[in-house]
Amino acid sequence: MIYDLRKKAEEELLNNLGPFWLKLIDNENGGFYGEVTYDLKVNKTSEKGGIQTSRILWFFSAAYCATKNEEYKKAATHAYEFLRDKLIDKEFKGVYWMVDYLGNPIDTRKHVYCQSFAIYALSEYYKATKDKQALDLAMNLFSLVENIGFNKENSAYLEEFDREWNITPNEMLSENGVIAEITTNTHLHVLEGYTNLYSVTNNRVVGERLKELIYTFYNKIYDKEQHLLKIFFDSEWNTIIDVKSYGHDIEASWLIDDAYKVLNLKDESIEKMIIDIAYNIKAQIQEDGSLINESENGVKDYTRVWWVQVEAMVGYLNAYERTHDESFLNIVNNLMTYTMKNMVDPREGGEWYWSIEPNGKPTERSVIEPWKTPYHNGRFCLEFMKRIGE
């Protein structure tokens, strides 16, 4: 069964995701087209996001590293040049939130989450090309995040800033009707970016900050009684709303494990957290094999979101590798069956749906937009190819 899972993931990458995204290269204005509507029309004048561009850069860089397909390398370079030339603020540093289709800034706010994805992507592009300029940009962003975006008083990463790095309310990474001063999501993707940066630099300071992040998760974010992650906090790390984000929990379990492994740490409490999260989220797996979205104040959202399914696949494969518990492998197999049947868009020119509604119908939302990129589904393919031998 496990080798069949690898084959399905590899076929999805090579036959669907790779070809789809190669067609979205904007050769006239740089970067990639920013939107494909639900009816599969490419919007060539759509805005282009900092997170979106970084995620595309990461995907093609990682896909090249895995396959040595020169088309992927060329696409990665195309994304890199747009990030470098249009999305990085030459005057005040950092990555813009959004530019127009020509590359002119239209939302100049800076968010630590956005900087983290650029670090993640630039590190991967360096793996693919050994371009020293890209690594220098990644290290510059790391220093920027640490010097401006980290609050030493409460050991938390800050969230949102204006163009000149003055703190502003965290509108972009707050949800569920609250404005959070600290979010798990930002900390998770700082950890992800730093893991990749450390893997290519072995930089002592990066390693120290990454290690501290792992213990921030354990000591501040992880609920040791419920075996889940708290999501939104005030400035003192007090939870401000009862939200359980099942996708973020299982995604965090394997991303924390990746950081733990790259640092060669040995701590049973961290290993226990990684596995206990996976066991806890099992209860939210549905009869059809899918994982539901979240719970807010005890009310569950039964929407099946694309990224939640694939992060669960990687998370449960990781949990299986750690424990050899066959129930985890069965979850992966059922998730794969559900996802390939329901989430992958069978229409000509389609990619994946954003989500499937509780009634089983696809959500009529743009299939490509600033938050919808080949990062989650592409990474699931690449992780399966890396973790499961041929």
Side-chain angles (χ1 to χ4, degrees), residues 230-244:
K230 296 167 282 186
I231 300 298
F232 297 121
F233 306 86
D234 65 16
S235 62
E236 302 301 318
W237 287 102
N238 298 305
T239 305
I240 60 175
I241 185 172
D242 176 19
V243 172
K244 298 175 178 66

Side-chain angles (χ1 to χ4, degrees), residues 272-323:
K272 186 175 186 301
M273 172 180 68
I274 290 163
I275 296 306
D276 282 350
I277 289 172
Y279 277 116
N280 180 60
I281 301 303
K282 280 177 70 173
Q284 309 308 325
I285 301 288
Q286 303 300 295
E287 287 187 11
D288 61 9
S290 65
L291 177 59
I292 62 174
N293 185 31
E294 66 178 17
S295 166
E296 179 182 339
N297 294 321
V299 179
K300 291 183 179 180
D301 174 9
Y302 285 87
T303 308
R304 277 69 157 185
V305 182
W306 101 98
W307 69 264
V308 174
Q309 312 314 311
V310 294
E311 294 301 338
M313 277 194 264
V314 181
Y316 279 111
L317 180 60
N318 185 73
Y320 171 72
E321 289 171 343
R322 272 210 169 269
T323 64

